């Protein structure tokens, strides 16, 4: 589970990477420095995997991203 300080202190690396939170939500940290909230889920009928964007950090805080995921 992520903490607000872990999100703030996430530094860009050579390749994009994910910081996992709970229930399939994660923070995608891009090499350019962008931080994007994402949520992976499966469609009930087809069982295909989809990704939903919840916003960008710091515009959307950890708390707000969790509310949007729920």
């Amino acid at each position: 589970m992520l903490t607000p300080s872990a999100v703030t202190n996430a530094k860009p690396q050579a390749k994009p990477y994910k910081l996992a939170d709970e229930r399939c939500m994660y923070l995608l940290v891009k090499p350019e420095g962008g931080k994007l909230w994402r949520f992976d889920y499966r469609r009930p009928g087809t069982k295909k995997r989809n990704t939903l964007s919840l916003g960008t950090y710091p515009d959307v805080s950890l708390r707000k991203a969790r509310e949007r995921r729920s």
Side-chain angles (χ1 to χ4, degrees), residues 14-45:
K15 294 183 179 182
Y17 68 96
K18 300 176 183 179
L19 292 176
D21 193 43
E22 56 189 12
R23 295 178 17 206
C24 300
M25 188 178 86
Y26 60 90
L27 181 71
L28 179 64
V29 183
K30 301 185 90 179
E32 302 83 25
K35 298 176 184 179
L36 310 168
W37 292 111
R38 299 293 169 105
F39 174 62
D40 286 342
Y41 67 98
R42 293 201 178 266
R43 289 184 180 240

Side-chain angles (χ1 to χ4, degrees), residues 21 25-26 37-39 54-55 60-70:
D21 193 43
M25 188 178 86
Y26 60 90
W37 292 111
R38 299 293 169 105
F39 174 62
L54 302 174
V60 177
S61 66
L62 176 58
R63 176 178 289 167
K64 191 63 147 176
R66 286 177 178 161
E67 287 174 5
R68 289 182 180 185
R69 177 209 54 216
S70 295

